[in-house]
Amino acid sequence: MIRGQRPLADRLRPASLDEVVGQDHLLGKDGPLGRMVGSGKLTSLVLWGPPGTGKTTIARLLAGHADLAFEQISAIFSGVADLKKMFEAAKVRGMNGRGTLLFVDEIHRFNRSQQDGFLPYVEDGTITLVGATTENPSFEINSALLSRMQVLVLNRHDDTALEHLLTRAEEELGTELPLDASARITLKAMADGDGRFLLNCVETLINTTTDEVLSSDALALFLQKRAPSYDKDRDGHYNLISALHKSLRGSDPDAALYWTARMLVAGEDPMYIVRRLVRFASEDVGLADPEAIHQALAAKDTYEFLGSPEGELQIAQAVLYLASAPKSNAAYKAEKAAKKTAKVTGSLMPPAHILNAPTKLMKDIGYGKGYAYDHDTEAGVSGQNYFPDDMARQQFYAPVERGFEREIQKRLDYFNKVRTAEADRMSGDQE
């Protein structure tokens, strides 16, 4: 195949372990794979990590370093017959003095009995088995097979690794990507640690864009499919519901009741109005008055029970309650801010101390170590960090000085005081 016709991700596939990015903790001189390569002895492995982090590439390169024949199958497309052929071929190679590395992609897709089929061939050395999985091997791989394999955890590609891949891609393509600085950051965030996805996006950009330099917003529109627009052939329908919503937000119960009546008289579905009231209770009242959501849901239950016209009185009551309630969109803004941050930070793992460790493997890699049970503390809150280790603490929720949120703010101030004291204590211990 002509070089230029091969996919970019394939063209940039590392030719040696030194070229693999983002997995220095495994491939470095003191890492488990680095030591195996140095000793020339390769054991059966499970490579556990997110998509696009180099599992297949590492397996292929390990086979080359150990002078093993490389055979690859996918658990999605292969069955018992395919495995038997692989095992027989490996036996023949073994008799001729050469070993076989069998790489099984998505090994967790094989059922328990299929996984058991590997055992005799791993035990007698017919194959060196390297399985790749995105799922927790503690739960997805038979304990008998797992005990004969070493589990290695691959990291999602961080910003440094993704930037390295972008630089390699530009060198391979002989051109810089048509992105401004913010768009370059956005592209890496969209990849969410997946190097293969990143390079596929790069190839799409190069093959379909002009000389125009894309901004972050332009890149998002270019690479992501936009949601379809709503049907707008009933402008009056949307105008009146907008008038109701803004009257509620503006704390005008009379105007809100008027627009509700206008819609009901016009034949609007009462449950459409109720759905907007439930949304409003969460979006515009929130925790300033936690009773608001109950009033909105009571309107739903009452109307479903009584129907029209009797059930419409409870809708009117909910409208009046919501319009006269204290308002806060702090919860709404907190939810939006949290989602925005979640999209940028991608798949960062929770800190190890708050992860459950139901298996020995998970305990051995640090899950649950150092966790403080809050109920056992004098304050009832430990003040430990619950954000990912690689992420600074964030504040999404900022209560307003209205209604019940005044009380919430007092609680948060107390929690923050305990958290600060714990951070100071930890800092002192480290010193």
Side-chain angles (χ1 to χ4, degrees), residues 109 132 176 219 238 269 300 342 357:
R109 301 275 189 174
E176 292 186 2
L219 175 67
Y238 293 106
D269 177 7
K300 165 189 169 291

Side-chain angles (χ1 to χ4, degrees), residues 226-233 238:
R226 299 181 65 180
S229 300
Y230 286 108
D231 185 3
K232 296 182 179 180
D233 62 354
Y238 293 106

